[in-house]
Amino acid sequence: MFGMAVSAGSGAAGNPSPLGIRIESVTEVTAVARHRLTSFLAQAGCSADVRFGEPGQDVVLEFRSGETGADNAPVLVATNRKGNRPTPVWVTRRTAGVGSIAELAGRDLATVEGPDPLGSRLALAALAEVGVKPARQQLYEAGDYSSALGLLLHNNTHAAVSEAGFVEPMLKKNGLVVTWAGKPVSAGGWYRGTGWNMPALLCEDALGGLTRSGDRQIFSVFPEWVHGFSRPERLNSEEVSQ
C-alpha cells in the first residue's frame, strides 16, 4: 500500500506551511488525485502539501483502512454509496443457486488485497463460522472490488467479496445476488496525527464534504466502496434513530 502525506509547520515571514495529510492509497497512480485533492482543500481554506511516502511526525490528518475502536477513533468515518457504514458481503451468480455461504466449501473465491477488512478478513471470518476454510489455492486475490467481481462474472470463481452499497447497482443487470451480508462496520477513516492543530479543522470540514460523485479522480486512492466521509456522531445518531 502507498501513503499520501501532508506536513505542517511555519514558513518564511511567519506564513504557516501547508498542513499535513497522509493517505494509505490503494494505487500507485496518485499524481492526478494529489493535484485535485490539494486544489479542493485550498478552495476550503486548507493549504495542503500533499505527498506520498512514509508518515511524518508533523502529520495533522491521515486516512487509514481498518476497523476502528473506542481507543482508536477516527474524526471522520468512511461511508458507502448510501452514506452509511460499509457492510461486507459475499456475492454469487444467481444462476449458481447458492443458498448459503456454507455451500462455498471447496469453491474458488475472489477476495481483495490490502488492509481493508471488507476485502477478505470479514468475509473469510463469516465462512469460518459455518465451517468453511478455503485452501490457499482456492483464493484469488484481486487488486480491487471491480476486479474481484470480474473474476466472478467470467466464471473464474464461484463467489466474490464486495460491499453492499458498492455492489447493489450491479446485481440485477449482471445476474448477481448477495448470498451473505455481515453487520455494518467502521472500516476506515481520517485520524488526527501528532501534528494536529486547530487550523486542521478546516481540512476536516472540507474532507467531510468530499464525495466520490463530486470528484471520482480524487477517490481513486481510496477503496472503491468509499463514497464519502462523515463525523462519527452523525452516523451514531442516525443509527439510534433507526
PDB file of all heavy atoms in Angstrom, residues 190-230:
ATOM      1  N   TRP A 190     -10.544   9.031   8.722  1.00  0.00           N
ATOM      2  CA  TRP A 190      -9.500  10.032   8.936  1.00  0.00           C
ATOM      3  C   TRP A 190      -9.199  10.149  10.425  1.00  0.00           C
ATOM      4  O   TRP A 190     -10.102  10.308  11.246  1.00  0.00           O
ATOM      5  CB  TRP A 190      -9.957  11.391   8.405  1.00  0.00           C
ATOM      6  CG  TRP A 190     -10.045  11.455   6.915  1.00  0.00           C
ATOM      7  CD1 TRP A 190     -11.144  11.276   6.139  1.00  0.00           C
ATOM      8  CD2 TRP A 190      -8.968  11.736   6.017  1.00  0.00           C
ATOM      9  NE1 TRP A 190     -10.825  11.417   4.806  1.00  0.00           N
ATOM     10  CE2 TRP A 190      -9.509  11.698   4.705  1.00  0.00           C
ATOM     11  CE3 TRP A 190      -7.605  12.012   6.190  1.00  0.00           C
ATOM     12  CZ2 TRP A 190      -8.716  11.930   3.573  1.00  0.00           C
ATOM     13  CZ3 TRP A 190      -6.825  12.243   5.065  1.00  0.00           C
ATOM     14  CH2 TRP A 190      -7.382  12.202   3.774  1.00  0.00           C
ATOM     15  N   TYR A 191      -7.910  10.089  10.753  1.00  0.00           N
ATOM     16  CA  TYR A 191      -7.453  10.171  12.131  1.00  0.00           C
ATOM     17  C   TYR A 191      -6.579  11.413  12.315  1.00  0.00           C
ATOM     18  O   TYR A 191      -5.848  11.812  11.398  1.00  0.00           O
ATOM     19  CB  TYR A 191      -6.620   8.943  12.499  1.00  0.00           C
ATOM     20  CG  TYR A 191      -7.391   7.648  12.456  1.00  0.00           C
ATOM     21  CD1 TYR A 191      -7.650   7.008  11.245  1.00  0.00           C
ATOM     22  CD2 TYR A 191      -7.854   7.062  13.626  1.00  0.00           C
ATOM     23  CE1 TYR A 191      -8.364   5.812  11.203  1.00  0.00           C
ATOM     24  CE2 TYR A 191      -8.554   5.862  13.608  1.00  0.00           C
ATOM     25  CZ  TYR A 191      -8.808   5.252  12.383  1.00  0.00           C
ATOM     26  OH  TYR A 191      -9.512   4.080  12.345  1.00  0.00           O
ATOM     27  N   ARG A 192      -6.636  12.007  13.495  1.00  0.00           N
ATOM     28  CA  ARG A 192      -5.748  13.127  13.802  1.00  0.00           C
ATOM     29  C   ARG A 192      -4.353  12.610  14.119  1.00  0.00           C
ATOM     30  O   ARG A 192      -4.195  11.662  14.883  1.00  0.00           O
ATOM     31  CB  ARG A 192      -6.296  13.926  14.978  1.00  0.00           C
ATOM     32  CG  ARG A 192      -7.559  14.705  14.634  1.00  0.00           C
ATOM     33  CD  ARG A 192      -8.135  15.437  15.837  1.00  0.00           C
ATOM     34  NE  ARG A 192      -9.308  16.216  15.438  1.00  0.00           N
ATOM     35  CZ  ARG A 192     -10.081  16.900  16.289  1.00  0.00           C
ATOM     36  NH1 ARG A 192      -9.784  16.876  17.587  1.00  0.00           N
ATOM     37  NH2 ARG A 192     -11.116  17.589  15.831  1.00  0.00           N
ATOM     38  N   GLY A 193      -3.357  13.245  13.506  1.00  0.00           N
ATOM     39  CA  GLY A 193      -1.975  12.863  13.738  1.00  0.00           C
ATOM     40  C   GLY A 193      -1.345  13.641  14.869  1.00  0.00           C
ATOM     41  O   GLY A 193      -1.978  14.513  15.478  1.00  0.00           O
ATOM     42  N   THR A 194      -0.086  13.360  15.124  1.00  0.00           N
ATOM     43  CA  THR A 194       0.613  14.011  16.233  1.00  0.00           C
ATOM     44  C   THR A 194       0.813  15.497  15.994  1.00  0.00           C
ATOM     45  O   THR A 194       1.016  16.259  16.931  1.00  0.00           O
ATOM     46  CB  THR A 194       1.991  13.358  16.451  1.00  0.00           C
ATOM     47  OG1 THR A 194       2.732  13.393  15.222  1.00  0.00           O
ATOM     48  CG2 THR A 194       1.829  11.901  16.882  1.00  0.00           C
ATOM     49  N   GLY A 195       0.761  15.929  14.731  1.00  0.00           N
ATOM     50  CA  GLY A 195       0.939  17.346  14.433  1.00  0.00           C
ATOM     51  C   GLY A 195      -0.359  18.123  14.358  1.00  0.00           C
ATOM     52  O   GLY A 195      -0.370  19.275  13.926  1.00  0.00           O
ATOM     53  N   TRP A 196      -1.471  17.517  14.782  1.00  0.00           N
ATOM     54  CA  TRP A 196      -2.780  18.174  14.645  1.00  0.00           C
ATOM     55  C   TRP A 196      -2.827  19.505  15.378  1.00  0.00           C
ATOM     56  O   TRP A 196      -2.257  19.657  16.471  1.00  0.00           O
ATOM     57  CB  TRP A 196      -3.884  17.269  15.191  1.00  0.00           C
ATOM     58  CG  TRP A 196      -5.267  17.766  14.846  1.00  0.00           C
ATOM     59  CD1 TRP A 196      -5.984  17.481  13.729  1.00  0.00           C
ATOM     60  CD2 TRP A 196      -6.069  18.653  15.621  1.00  0.00           C
ATOM     61  NE1 TRP A 196      -7.195  18.132  13.754  1.00  0.00           N
ATOM     62  CE2 TRP A 196      -7.272  18.871  14.908  1.00  0.00           C
ATOM     63  CE3 TRP A 196      -5.886  19.300  16.846  1.00  0.00           C
ATOM     64  CZ2 TRP A 196      -8.294  19.691  15.374  1.00  0.00           C
ATOM     65  CZ3 TRP A 196      -6.898  20.127  17.315  1.00  0.00           C
ATOM     66  CH2 TRP A 196      -8.084  20.312  16.583  1.00  0.00           C
ATOM     67  N   ASN A 197      -3.490  20.488  14.766  1.00  0.00           N
ATOM     68  CA  ASN A 197      -3.678  21.796  15.376  1.00  0.00           C
ATOM     69  C   ASN A 197      -5.048  22.340  14.961  1.00  0.00           C
ATOM     70  O   ASN A 197      -5.736  21.754  14.126  1.00  0.00           O
ATOM     71  CB  ASN A 197      -2.550  22.757  14.962  1.00  0.00           C
ATOM     72  CG  ASN A 197      -2.359  22.784  13.449  1.00  0.00           C
ATOM     73  OD1 ASN A 197      -3.304  22.590  12.673  1.00  0.00           O
ATOM     74  ND2 ASN A 197      -1.132  23.032  13.016  1.00  0.00           N
ATOM     75  N   MET A 198      -5.453  23.439  15.555  1.00  0.00           N
ATOM     76  CA  MET A 198      -6.783  23.985  15.299  1.00  0.00           C
ATOM     77  C   MET A 198      -7.042  24.328  13.832  1.00  0.00           C
ATOM     78  O   MET A 198      -8.154  24.110  13.327  1.00  0.00           O
ATOM     79  CB  MET A 198      -7.025  25.209  16.186  1.00  0.00           C
ATOM     80  CG  MET A 198      -7.234  24.867  17.661  1.00  0.00           C
ATOM     81  SD  MET A 198      -8.636  23.738  17.925  1.00  0.00           S
ATOM     82  CE  MET A 198     -10.010  24.783  17.448  1.00  0.00           C
ATOM     83  N   PRO A 199      -6.052  24.872  13.092  1.00  0.00           N
ATOM     84  CA  PRO A 199      -6.297  25.146  11.679  1.00  0.00           C
ATOM     85  C   PRO A 199      -6.696  23.903  10.876  1.00  0.00           C
ATOM     86  O   PRO A 199      -7.330  24.003   9.826  1.00  0.00           O
ATOM     87  CB  PRO A 199      -4.957  25.719  11.192  1.00  0.00           C
ATOM     88  CG  PRO A 199      -4.378  26.352  12.409  1.00  0.00           C
ATOM     89  CD  PRO A 199      -4.755  25.429  13.536  1.00  0.00           C
ATOM     90  N   ALA A 200      -6.335  22.725  11.388  1.00  0.00           N
ATOM     91  CA  ALA A 200      -6.661  21.482  10.681  1.00  0.00           C
ATOM     92  C   ALA A 200      -8.163  21.212  10.665  1.00  0.00           C
ATOM     93  O   ALA A 200      -8.637  20.376   9.889  1.00  0.00           O
ATOM     94  CB  ALA A 200      -5.927  20.302  11.310  1.00  0.00           C
ATOM     95  N   LEU A 201      -8.935  21.919  11.499  1.00  0.00           N
ATOM     96  CA  LEU A 201     -10.382  21.754  11.482  1.00  0.00           C
ATOM     97  C   LEU A 201     -10.964  22.136  10.124  1.00  0.00           C
ATOM     98  O   LEU A 201     -11.957  21.558   9.678  1.00  0.00           O
ATOM     99  CB  LEU A 201     -11.036  22.593  12.584  1.00  0.00           C
ATOM    100  CG  LEU A 201     -10.973  22.016  14.005  1.00  0.00           C
ATOM    101  CD1 LEU A 201     -11.513  23.020  15.006  1.00  0.00           C
ATOM    102  CD2 LEU A 201     -11.755  20.716  14.086  1.00  0.00           C
ATOM    103  N   LEU A 202     -10.349  23.116   9.472  1.00  0.00           N
ATOM    104  CA  LEU A 202     -10.785  23.495   8.125  1.00  0.00           C
ATOM    105  C   LEU A 202     -10.622  22.321   7.165  1.00  0.00           C
ATOM    106  O   LEU A 202     -11.474  22.082   6.303  1.00  0.00           O
ATOM    107  CB  LEU A 202      -9.984  24.696   7.620  1.00  0.00           C
ATOM    108  CG  LEU A 202     -10.362  26.074   8.168  1.00  0.00           C
ATOM    109  CD1 LEU A 202      -9.369  27.122   7.676  1.00  0.00           C
ATOM    110  CD2 LEU A 202     -11.784  26.446   7.755  1.00  0.00           C
ATOM    111  N   CYS A 203      -9.531  21.596   7.325  1.00  0.00           N
ATOM    112  CA  CYS A 203      -9.288  20.424   6.476  1.00  0.00           C
ATOM    113  C   CYS A 203     -10.311  19.328   6.775  1.00  0.00           C
ATOM    114  O   CYS A 203     -10.841  18.703   5.851  1.00  0.00           O
ATOM    115  CB  CYS A 203      -7.877  19.890   6.697  1.00  0.00           C
ATOM    116  SG  CYS A 203      -6.566  21.112   6.483  1.00  0.00           S
ATOM    117  N   GLU A 204     -10.579  19.093   8.054  1.00  0.00           N
ATOM    118  CA  GLU A 204     -11.560  18.081   8.430  1.00  0.00           C
ATOM    119  C   GLU A 204     -12.930  18.393   7.840  1.00  0.00           C
ATOM    120  O   GLU A 204     -13.603  17.515   7.285  1.00  0.00           O
ATOM    121  CB  GLU A 204     -11.662  17.989   9.954  1.00  0.00           C
ATOM    122  CG  GLU A 204     -10.450  17.388  10.619  1.00  0.00           C
ATOM    123  CD  GLU A 204     -10.626  17.273  12.126  1.00  0.00           C
ATOM    124  OE1 GLU A 204     -11.786  17.381  12.611  1.00  0.00           O
ATOM    125  OE2 GLU A 204      -9.618  17.085  12.826  1.00  0.00           O
ATOM    126  N   ASP A 205     -13.344  19.659   7.976  1.00  0.00           N
ATOM    127  CA  ASP A 205     -14.654  20.050   7.453  1.00  0.00           C
ATOM    128  C   ASP A 205     -14.710  19.881   5.941  1.00  0.00           C
ATOM    129  O   ASP A 205     -15.727  19.446   5.388  1.00  0.00           O
ATOM    130  CB  ASP A 205     -14.964  21.498   7.825  1.00  0.00           C
ATOM    131  CG  ASP A 205     -15.236  21.669   9.318  1.00  0.00           C
ATOM    132  OD1 ASP A 205     -15.542  20.655   9.978  1.00  0.00           O
ATOM    133  OD2 ASP A 205     -15.120  22.806   9.810  1.00  0.00           O
ATOM    134  N   ALA A 206     -13.617  20.201   5.264  1.00  0.00           N
ATOM    135  CA  ALA A 206     -13.575  20.060   3.807  1.00  0.00           C
ATOM    136  C   ALA A 206     -13.658  18.594   3.403  1.00  0.00           C
ATOM    137  O   ALA A 206     -14.424  18.222   2.500  1.00  0.00           O
ATOM    138  CB  ALA A 206     -12.300  20.690   3.250  1.00  0.00           C
ATOM    139  N   LEU A 207     -12.900  17.746   4.083  1.00  0.00           N
ATOM    140  CA  LEU A 207     -12.917  16.318   3.768  1.00  0.00           C
ATOM    141  C   LEU A 207     -14.286  15.713   4.046  1.00  0.00           C
ATOM    142  O   LEU A 207     -14.713  14.778   3.364  1.00  0.00           O
ATOM    143  CB  LEU A 207     -11.846  15.593   4.585  1.00  0.00           C
ATOM    144  CG  LEU A 207     -10.399  15.911   4.186  1.00  0.00           C
ATOM    145  CD1 LEU A 207      -9.431  15.382   5.242  1.00  0.00           C
ATOM    146  CD2 LEU A 207     -10.075  15.340   2.821  1.00  0.00           C
ATOM    147  N   GLY A 208     -15.001  16.260   5.028  1.00  0.00           N
ATOM    148  CA  GLY A 208     -16.339  15.786   5.335  1.00  0.00           C
ATOM    149  C   GLY A 208     -17.335  16.076   4.218  1.00  0.00           C
ATOM    150  O   GLY A 208     -18.393  15.447   4.147  1.00  0.00           O
ATOM    151  N   GLY A 209     -17.006  17.012   3.341  1.00  0.00           N
ATOM    152  CA  GLY A 209     -17.884  17.337   2.223  1.00  0.00           C
ATOM    153  C   GLY A 209     -17.442  16.723   0.911  1.00  0.00           C
ATOM    154  O   GLY A 209     -18.062  16.956  -0.136  1.00  0.00           O
ATOM    155  N   LEU A 210     -16.374  15.942   0.946  1.00  0.00           N
ATOM    156  CA  LEU A 210     -15.839  15.323  -0.266  1.00  0.00           C
ATOM    157  C   LEU A 210     -16.622  14.057  -0.599  1.00  0.00           C
ATOM    158  O   LEU A 210     -16.881  13.235   0.271  1.00  0.00           O
ATOM    159  CB  LEU A 210     -14.372  14.964  -0.032  1.00  0.00           C
ATOM    160  CG  LEU A 210     -13.523  14.492  -1.213  1.00  0.00           C
ATOM    161  CD1 LEU A 210     -13.398  15.585  -2.245  1.00  0.00           C
ATOM    162  CD2 LEU A 210     -12.134  14.071  -0.717  1.00  0.00           C
ATOM    163  N   THR A 211     -17.045  13.916  -1.874  1.00  0.00           N
ATOM    164  CA  THR A 211     -17.775  12.718  -2.293  1.00  0.00           C
ATOM    165  C   THR A 211     -17.214  12.169  -3.597  1.00  0.00           C
ATOM    166  O   THR A 211     -16.679  12.919  -4.416  1.00  0.00           O
ATOM    167  CB  THR A 211     -19.272  13.006  -2.504  1.00  0.00           C
ATOM    168  OG1 THR A 211     -19.433  13.959  -3.565  1.00  0.00           O
ATOM    169  CG2 THR A 211     -19.914  13.542  -1.234  1.00  0.00           C
ATOM    170  N   ARG A 212     -17.347  10.881  -3.764  1.00  0.00           N
ATOM    171  CA  ARG A 212     -16.880  10.235  -4.994  1.00  0.00           C
ATOM    172  C   ARG A 212     -17.618  10.788  -6.214  1.00  0.00           C
ATOM    173  O   ARG A 212     -17.013  11.008  -7.266  1.00  0.00           O
ATOM    174  CB  ARG A 212     -17.060   8.721  -4.905  1.00  0.00           C
ATOM    175  CG  ARG A 212     -16.517   7.955  -6.118  1.00  0.00           C
ATOM    176  CD  ARG A 212     -16.665   6.455  -5.935  1.00  0.00           C
ATOM    177  NE  ARG A 212     -15.784   5.933  -4.902  1.00  0.00           N
ATOM    178  CZ  ARG A 212     -14.546   5.504  -5.125  1.00  0.00           C
ATOM    179  NH1 ARG A 212     -14.029   5.548  -6.355  1.00  0.00           N
ATOM    180  NH2 ARG A 212     -13.810   5.016  -4.138  1.00  0.00           N
ATOM    181  N   SER A 213     -18.913  11.014  -6.094  1.00  0.00           N
ATOM    182  CA  SER A 213     -19.671  11.542  -7.221  1.00  0.00           C
ATOM    183  C   SER A 213     -19.248  12.964  -7.557  1.00  0.00           C
ATOM    184  O   SER A 213     -19.402  13.418  -8.687  1.00  0.00           O
ATOM    185  CB  SER A 213     -21.176  11.511  -6.912  1.00  0.00           C
ATOM    186  OG  SER A 213     -21.470  12.230  -5.725  1.00  0.00           O
ATOM    187  N   GLY A 214     -18.672  13.671  -6.581  1.00  0.00           N
ATOM    188  CA  GLY A 214     -18.202  15.030  -6.834  1.00  0.00           C
ATOM    189  C   GLY A 214     -16.859  15.068  -7.530  1.00  0.00           C
ATOM    190  O   GLY A 214     -16.576  15.994  -8.302  1.00  0.00           O
ATOM    191  N   ASP A 215     -15.995  14.098  -7.270  1.00  0.00           N
ATOM    192  CA  ASP A 215     -14.679  14.049  -7.908  1.00  0.00           C
ATOM    193  C   ASP A 215     -14.130  12.628  -7.840  1.00  0.00           C
ATOM    194  O   ASP A 215     -13.470  12.238  -6.874  1.00  0.00           O
ATOM    195  CB  ASP A 215     -13.707  15.017  -7.238  1.00  0.00           C
ATOM    196  CG  ASP A 215     -12.471  15.280  -8.080  1.00  0.00           C
ATOM    197  OD1 ASP A 215     -11.963  14.321  -8.701  1.00  0.00           O
ATOM    198  OD2 ASP A 215     -12.010  16.433  -8.141  1.00  0.00           O
ATOM    199  N   ARG A 216     -14.428  11.837  -8.855  1.00  0.00           N
ATOM    200  CA  ARG A 216     -14.004  10.437  -8.872  1.00  0.00           C
ATOM    201  C   ARG A 216     -12.488  10.286  -8.947  1.00  0.00           C
ATOM    202  O   ARG A 216     -11.936   9.277  -8.492  1.00  0.00           O
ATOM    203  CB  ARG A 216     -14.668   9.708 -10.050  1.00  0.00           C
ATOM    204  CG  ARG A 216     -16.175   9.600  -9.902  1.00  0.00           C
ATOM    205  CD  ARG A 216     -16.812   8.784 -11.021  1.00  0.00           C
ATOM    206  NE  ARG A 216     -18.242   8.653 -10.822  1.00  0.00           N
ATOM    207  CZ  ARG A 216     -18.821   7.767 -10.030  1.00  0.00           C
ATOM    208  NH1 ARG A 216     -18.068   6.893  -9.370  1.00  0.00           N
ATOM    209  NH2 ARG A 216     -20.128   7.725  -9.876  1.00  0.00           N
ATOM    210  N   GLN A 217     -11.804  11.261  -9.531  1.00  0.00           N
ATOM    211  CA  GLN A 217     -10.348  11.149  -9.664  1.00  0.00           C
ATOM    212  C   GLN A 217      -9.659  11.192  -8.311  1.00  0.00           C
ATOM    213  O   GLN A 217      -8.676  10.494  -8.080  1.00  0.00           O
ATOM    214  CB  GLN A 217      -9.823  12.247 -10.588  1.00  0.00           C
ATOM    215  CG  GLN A 217     -10.236  12.057 -12.041  1.00  0.00           C
ATOM    216  CD  GLN A 217      -9.811  13.210 -12.918  1.00  0.00           C
ATOM    217  OE1 GLN A 217     -10.081  14.378 -12.628  1.00  0.00           O
ATOM    218  NE2 GLN A 217      -9.139  12.905 -14.010  1.00  0.00           N
ATOM    219  N   ILE A 218     -10.169  12.005  -7.390  1.00  0.00           N
ATOM    220  CA  ILE A 218      -9.605  12.032  -6.045  1.00  0.00           C
ATOM    221  C   ILE A 218      -9.778  10.672  -5.369  1.00  0.00           C
ATOM    222  O   ILE A 218      -8.871  10.155  -4.717  1.00  0.00           O
ATOM    223  CB  ILE A 218     -10.272  13.135  -5.193  1.00  0.00           C
ATOM    224  CG1 ILE A 218      -9.845  14.524  -5.669  1.00  0.00           C
ATOM    225  CG2 ILE A 218      -9.914  12.956  -3.706  1.00  0.00           C
ATOM    226  CD1 ILE A 218     -10.508  15.670  -4.927  1.00  0.00           C
ATOM    227  N   PHE A 219     -10.942  10.062  -5.576  1.00  0.00           N
ATOM    228  CA  PHE A 219     -11.266   8.829  -4.870  1.00  0.00           C
ATOM    229  C   PHE A 219     -10.573   7.593  -5.434  1.00  0.00           C
ATOM    230  O   PHE A 219     -10.754   6.498  -4.905  1.00  0.00           O
ATOM    231  CB  PHE A 219     -12.782   8.631  -4.835  1.00  0.00           C
ATOM    232  CG  PHE A 219     -13.440   9.372  -3.706  1.00  0.00           C
ATOM    233  CD1 PHE A 219     -13.674  10.735  -3.803  1.00  0.00           C
ATOM    234  CD2 PHE A 219     -13.773   8.724  -2.531  1.00  0.00           C
ATOM    235  CE1 PHE A 219     -14.250  11.430  -2.760  1.00  0.00           C
ATOM    236  CE2 PHE A 219     -14.351   9.402  -1.473  1.00  0.00           C
ATOM    237  CZ  PHE A 219     -14.593  10.771  -1.588  1.00  0.00           C
ATOM    238  N   SER A 220      -9.763   7.765  -6.448  1.00  0.00           N
ATOM    239  CA  SER A 220      -9.015   6.617  -6.971  1.00  0.00           C
ATOM    240  C   SER A 220      -8.024   6.079  -5.950  1.00  0.00           C
ATOM    241  O   SER A 220      -7.572   4.938  -6.058  1.00  0.00           O
ATOM    242  CB  SER A 220      -8.273   7.008  -8.256  1.00  0.00           C
ATOM    243  OG  SER A 220      -7.270   7.984  -7.980  1.00  0.00           O
ATOM    244  N   VAL A 221      -7.678   6.879  -4.945  1.00  0.00           N
ATOM    245  CA  VAL A 221      -6.711   6.435  -3.936  1.00  0.00           C
ATOM    246  C   VAL A 221      -7.369   5.734  -2.747  1.00  0.00           C
ATOM    247  O   VAL A 221      -6.679   5.207  -1.866  1.00  0.00           O
ATOM    248  CB  VAL A 221      -5.855   7.622  -3.426  1.00  0.00           C
ATOM    249  CG1 VAL A 221      -5.028   8.198  -4.557  1.00  0.00           C
ATOM    250  CG2 VAL A 221      -6.726   8.698  -2.782  1.00  0.00           C
ATOM    251  N   PHE A 222      -8.717   5.714  -2.720  1.00  0.00           N
ATOM    252  CA  PHE A 222      -9.446   5.060  -1.633  1.00  0.00           C
ATOM    253  C   PHE A 222     -10.047   3.747  -2.123  1.00  0.00           C
ATOM    254  O   PHE A 222     -10.228   3.544  -3.324  1.00  0.00           O
ATOM    255  CB  PHE A 222     -10.574   5.968  -1.130  1.00  0.00           C
ATOM    256  CG  PHE A 222     -10.112   7.292  -0.592  1.00  0.00           C
ATOM    257  CD1 PHE A 222     -10.365   8.467  -1.283  1.00  0.00           C
ATOM    258  CD2 PHE A 222      -9.415   7.363   0.603  1.00  0.00           C
ATOM    259  CE1 PHE A 222      -9.939   9.689  -0.798  1.00  0.00           C
ATOM    260  CE2 PHE A 222      -8.982   8.587   1.102  1.00  0.00           C
ATOM    261  CZ  PHE A 222      -9.242   9.755   0.397  1.00  0.00           C
ATOM    262  N   PRO A 223     -10.398   2.836  -1.204  1.00  0.00           N
ATOM    263  CA  PRO A 223     -11.113   1.622  -1.609  1.00  0.00           C
ATOM    264  C   PRO A 223     -12.362   1.997  -2.399  1.00  0.00           C
ATOM    265  O   PRO A 223     -12.996   3.027  -2.134  1.00  0.00           O
ATOM    266  CB  PRO A 223     -11.470   0.966  -0.268  1.00  0.00           C
ATOM    267  CG  PRO A 223     -10.392   1.419   0.662  1.00  0.00           C
ATOM    268  CD  PRO A 223     -10.099   2.838   0.262  1.00  0.00           C
ATOM    269  N   GLU A 224     -12.746   1.148  -3.358  1.00  0.00           N
ATOM    270  CA  GLU A 224     -13.833   1.500  -4.272  1.00  0.00           C
ATOM    271  C   GLU A 224     -15.168   1.731  -3.596  1.00  0.00           C
ATOM    272  O   GLU A 224     -16.017   2.450  -4.116  1.00  0.00           O
ATOM    273  CB  GLU A 224     -13.992   0.402  -5.331  1.00  0.00           C
ATOM    274  CG  GLU A 224     -12.929   0.428  -6.408  1.00  0.00           C
ATOM    275  CD  GLU A 224     -13.160  -0.662  -7.424  1.00  0.00           C
ATOM    276  OE1 GLU A 224     -12.995  -1.845  -7.062  1.00  0.00           O
ATOM    277  OE2 GLU A 224     -13.518  -0.340  -8.571  1.00  0.00           O
ATOM    278  N   TRP A 225     -15.401   1.133  -2.449  1.00  0.00           N
ATOM    279  CA  TRP A 225     -16.683   1.316  -1.790  1.00  0.00           C
ATOM    280  C   TRP A 225     -16.808   2.665  -1.100  1.00  0.00           C
ATOM    281  O   TRP A 225     -17.911   3.107  -0.759  1.00  0.00           O
ATOM    282  CB  TRP A 225     -16.946   0.197  -0.776  1.00  0.00           C
ATOM    283  CG  TRP A 225     -15.942   0.096   0.331  1.00  0.00           C
ATOM    284  CD1 TRP A 225     -14.857  -0.740   0.388  1.00  0.00           C
ATOM    285  CD2 TRP A 225     -15.915   0.856   1.550  1.00  0.00           C
ATOM    286  NE1 TRP A 225     -14.164  -0.549   1.556  1.00  0.00           N
ATOM    287  CE2 TRP A 225     -14.797   0.425   2.290  1.00  0.00           C
ATOM    288  CE3 TRP A 225     -16.744   1.850   2.083  1.00  0.00           C
ATOM    289  CZ2 TRP A 225     -14.472   0.968   3.529  1.00  0.00           C
ATOM    290  CZ3 TRP A 225     -16.425   2.399   3.319  1.00  0.00           C
ATOM    291  CH2 TRP A 225     -15.289   1.952   4.029  1.00  0.00           C
ATOM    292  N   VAL A 226     -15.697   3.350  -0.870  1.00  0.00           N
ATOM    293  CA  VAL A 226     -15.732   4.623  -0.151  1.00  0.00           C
ATOM    294  C   VAL A 226     -16.338   5.704  -1.037  1.00  0.00           C
ATOM    295  O   VAL A 226     -15.816   6.020  -2.102  1.00  0.00           O
ATOM    296  CB  VAL A 226     -14.322   5.053   0.307  1.00  0.00           C
ATOM    297  CG1 VAL A 226     -14.395   6.400   1.030  1.00  0.00           C
ATOM    298  CG2 VAL A 226     -13.707   4.003   1.219  1.00  0.00           C
ATOM    299  N   HIS A 227     -17.439   6.262  -0.583  1.00  0.00           N
ATOM    300  CA  HIS A 227     -18.119   7.321  -1.348  1.00  0.00           C
ATOM    301  C   HIS A 227     -17.953   8.687  -0.698  1.00  0.00           C
ATOM    302  O   HIS A 227     -18.077   9.715  -1.343  1.00  0.00           O
ATOM    303  CB  HIS A 227     -19.604   7.000  -1.486  1.00  0.00           C
ATOM    304  CG  HIS A 227     -20.327   7.924  -2.422  1.00  0.00           C
ATOM    305  ND1 HIS A 227     -20.868   9.133  -2.023  1.00  0.00           N
ATOM    306  CD2 HIS A 227     -20.576   7.824  -3.751  1.00  0.00           C
ATOM    307  CE1 HIS A 227     -21.425   9.726  -3.068  1.00  0.00           C
ATOM    308  NE2 HIS A 227     -21.259   8.969  -4.111  1.00  0.00           N
ATOM    309  N   GLY A 228     -17.686   8.696   0.608  1.00  0.00           N
ATOM    310  CA  GLY A 228     -17.517   9.962   1.309  1.00  0.00           C
ATOM    311  C   GLY A 228     -17.106   9.727   2.743  1.00  0.00           C
ATOM    312  O   GLY A 228     -16.710   8.607   3.123  1.00  0.00           O
ATOM    313  N   PHE A 229     -17.197  10.783   3.558  1.00  0.00           N
ATOM    314  CA  PHE A 229     -16.750  10.706   4.948  1.00  0.00           C
ATOM    315  C   PHE A 229     -17.733  11.454   5.838  1.00  0.00           C
ATOM    316  O   PHE A 229     -18.296  12.467   5.445  1.00  0.00           O
ATOM    317  CB  PHE A 229     -15.348  11.319   5.081  1.00  0.00           C
ATOM    318  CG  PHE A 229     -14.368  10.783   4.073  1.00  0.00           C
ATOM    319  CD1 PHE A 229     -14.085  11.503   2.924  1.00  0.00           C
ATOM    320  CD2 PHE A 229     -13.763   9.546   4.252  1.00  0.00           C
ATOM    321  CE1 PHE A 229     -13.211  11.003   1.964  1.00  0.00           C
ATOM    322  CE2 PHE A 229     -12.887   9.037   3.303  1.00  0.00           C
ATOM    323  CZ  PHE A 229     -12.612   9.769   2.154  1.00  0.00           C
ATOM    324  N   SER A 230     -17.933  10.943   7.044  1.00  0.00           N
ATOM    325  CA  SER A 230     -18.911  11.541   7.952  1.00  0.00           C
ATOM    326  C   SER A 230     -18.371  11.580   9.372  1.00  0.00           C
ATOM    327  O   SER A 230     -17.600  10.709   9.787  1.00  0.00           O
ATOM    328  CB  SER A 230     -20.203  10.718   7.918  1.00  0.00           C
ATOM    329  OG  SER A 230     -21.142  11.216   8.858  1.00  0.00           O
TER     330      SER A 230
END
